[in-house]
Structures are given as structure tokens and as C-alpha cells.
Amino acid sequence: MPSLVLLLGGKGKRFGGKKQFLTYRGRFLFEYLLDRVKDLFDEIVLVVPPEDVETFKGKYGNLKIAPGGGERQFSVLNGLKMVSNPQVVVHDGARPLAGRRLFQEAINLKNCDGKIPVIPLRDTIKRISPSGEVLETLPREQLVAVQTPQGFKTEVLLECHLKALEDRFVGTDDASLLERYGYRVCTFRGEETNLKITYPGDWEMVKCLLESGKF
């Protein structure tokens, strides 16, 4: 069985606090997520802010706890160093509504080194200058929005993280590291309800979905 690295180490600057520790009906949102998917993994690593490590070790003694880093990428690397299985799934705790299917798809790598969920774009996408002038309209059919969970061969992902550290390269997600170093990344269909809580308004939408009883 694969391992899960769940990222809970962010500072939530745009949200105004540690959004990964939001609660619903007395429980952390990530606990609801783990209830849906924990049986798919035989090893779970929670990456939390350094100041919360000891608290989490006391509360979640059956899980591995890693300290977060200054950037998301460094947090993932800290979690990866605790992984003992040949496959790993990395997920952002700020996406608490990710469905079980997404994790099952991410685990099923087949002949890929990495596998990520994507959503087709609905809006027209334009590239603009720093001053706001439109430079070009991009071909929407060739563009997608990327989500987590993302699945990888552990050895490949760790290698790419260590190379990126040496090269001082910081990617926008883990898949971008595999792309940089020539590994094969495949895609599968994501979920529109797999919202990322970035701003307070996102939390309001997530709460509405939770109240629907579908999660």
C-alpha cells in the first residue's frame, strides 16, 4: 500500500490564519478527509507547523508527524523523508473536500512516474503585461487547472526534490519538479468540488458543501 503525505504546515497569510486547522462541528476538516481515505494507505505523514509538532505527536500518536518548512516544497521534502513505501500521494490540507476517487486515481500510476488531477478551464484565458494590457489569448483547450492529491513513485519524487534543492528551483507543485527533470506525469479528471481554501470566501463555500451532507 502507498503512503500519504498530508500538508498542514502553511501559515495561511492570504486567509488570515492557519486555514488547515479550521473546524466543522468540533472536528478539524482534515480529520473528515482522513476518515474518507485512510484505509487506502498504510502510512500517513502529517506535515505541520514546527511549533505544533509536539502537540500533534501527542494527539495523533499512530501517525508520523513532520515539521513544515518555509515553502510548501520544503514541507513536502520533510514529509517525504519519513515515507517508507515505494508510492506516495501528496495532498494539500487546504483541500478538505477531495473525494475518495481522486486518491484511488492518484495511487494507480500504471506506467507513469506521477499522476495529477486536472479540471478543464471554463473561462477565456489571456496573458497580460504588468500594466494590465492584453498581450494574447491562450488556447483554452490546451490548458487545465491542477489540483491535489498527486501520486508519485516515491524514489522519483524524492530525487526531484533533492535536485531542485541543489538547483535552488522552487516549483508551483510537486509535478512541476518531475516535469523539470524529464519524468512522465499523467493526468486524470479532478473534481469541481475539490475546492482549495485560500481566502475567507472559499471557507464559506466549503461550509455550504459540508452542510449539504455529501461529504
Side-chain angles (χ1 to χ4, degrees):
M1 294 179 74
S3 298
L4 171 65
V5 173
L6 183 59
L7 301 174
L8 303 169
K11 296 181 175 63
K13 292 179 181 179
R14 289 175 291 181
F15 184 81
K18 295 178 181 179
K19 59 193 176 184
Q20 67 272 31
F21 297 147
L22 289 169
T23 60
Y24 177 74
R25 295 184 178 177
R27 299 183 69 200
F28 288 128
L29 292 183
F30 74 83
E31 292 179 323
Y32 291 100
L33 174 72
L34 288 179
D35 284 349
R36 290 198 297 276
V37 304
K38 62 185 178 183
D39 64 299
L40 300 175
F41 305 94
D42 65 358
E43 179 180 67
I44 297 175
V45 181
L46 302 183
V47 184
V48 304
E51 65 270 20
D52 296 316
V53 167
E54 293 307 315
T55 299
F56 269 70
K57 284 182 177 178
K59 187 171 183 180
Y60 303 97
N62 59 323
L63 307 179
K64 293 184 177 181
I65 311 297
E71 299 282 349
R72 179 191 184 278
Q73 187 165 308
F74 306 143
S75 294
V76 175
L77 179 56
N78 288 347
L80 274 178
K81 290 177 179 178
M82 291 191 171
V83 169
S84 60
N85 290 320
Q87 271 186 253
V88 62
V89 172
V90 180
H91 185 58
D92 293 325
R95 292 185 184 272
L97 301 184
R100 182 180 175 89
R101 178 189 65 83
L102 297 183
F103 290 85
Q104 292 171 320
E105 292 270 14
I107 289 168
N108 187 19
L109 289 177
K110 295 183 179 178
N111 59 343
C112 304
D113 299 303
K115 204 171 177 189
I116 63 175
V118 299
I119 293 289
L121 299 180
R122 298 180 179 180
D123 301 320
T124 296
I125 305 298
K126 296 182 183 291
R127 187 170 67 87
I128 63 173
S129 69
S131 64
E133 180 183 353
V134 172
L135 300 177
E136 65 174 320
T137 300
L138 300 176
R140 184 173 56 188
E141 64 275 6
Q142 298 177 19
L143 302 172
V144 292
V146 178
Q147 304 177 334
T148 66
Q150 299 185 356
F152 304 95
K153 295 177 181 177
T154 303
E155 183 179 9
V156 169
L157 184 58
L158 182 57
E159 174 194 327
C160 291
H161 268 274
L162 293 175
K163 283 183 177 178
L165 186 63
E166 183 178 342
D167 295 342
R168 297 185 179 180
F169 172 77
V170 178
T172 53
D173 68 351
D174 296 287
S176 66
L177 304 187
L178 272 71
E179 297 161 34
R180 178 180 175 87
Y181 296 112
Y183 286 100
R184 187 179 187 206
V185 179
C186 304
T187 66
F188 60 94
R189 179 63 186 251
E191 294 174 347
E192 283 77 6
T193 53
N194 184 19
L195 301 175
K196 184 178 182 182
I197 302 174
T198 303
Y199 301 104
D202 302 325
W203 172 220
E204 295 303 316
M205 287 189 285
V206 167
K207 278 194 289 187
C208 288
L209 288 168
L210 287 169
E211 290 293 340
S212 73
K214 296 179 180 179
F215 299 90

